[in-house]
Amino acid sequence: VSAAVAASAAAPALAYDAAAGEGIFNANCAACHAGGQNVIMPDKTLEKEALEAYLAGGRNVNAVITQVTNGKNAMPAFGGRLDEGDIQNVAQYVIDTSEAGWDE
């Protein structure tokens, strides 16, 4: 029981660093997702509507964190390459930029 309680306890939220999120995105994601697009699966972009339609769990930071950490289909997992703070920053950057609109 204590393990289940510990596993369900949420980690404390880290402060979002927009500049770090953008830098992490440019260094790790932009090769496939430049301008919020997707060079491998063109329908599954990082645009707001596509995230709402295709992202498991819907368009929210936790769903992006899961996708970045674990990967899916052609997208590799970044959980072993980026630390938790980096993943949180890039996930928030994706959500914020999808809301504001990507510069293409």
Side-chain angles (χ1 to χ4, degrees), residues 25-51:
F25 182 88
N26 289 335
N28 295 279
C29 313
C32 293
H33 293 292
Q37 300 305 299
N38 185 329
V39 300
I40 306 297
M41 301 179 84
D43 291 338
K44 296 185 177 182
T45 70
L46 301 181
E47 301 287 346
K48 182 177 180 178
E49 296 77 16
L51 290 174

Side-chain angles (χ1 to χ4, degrees), residues 15-96:
Y16 169 50
D17 183 333
E22 182 177 15
I24 294 158
F25 182 88
N26 289 335
N28 295 279
C29 313
C32 293
H33 293 292
Q37 300 305 299
N38 185 329
V39 300
I40 306 297
M41 301 179 84
D43 291 338
K44 296 185 177 182
T45 70
L46 301 181
E47 301 287 346
K48 182 177 180 178
E49 296 77 16
L51 290 174
E52 289 170 350
Y54 298 114
L55 186 62
R59 184 184 158 271
N60 64 75
V61 172
N62 288 334
V64 177
I65 288 171
T66 298
Q67 181 91 5
V68 172
T69 302
N70 301 321
K72 185 174 180 183
N73 298 324
M75 182 174 160
F78 286 87
R81 303 181 211 183
L82 299 174
D83 68 29
E84 181 180 330
D86 289 343
I87 291 172
Q88 288 181 347
N89 282 331
V90 78
Q92 188 65 57
Y93 172 78
V94 167
I95 292 297
D96 289 354

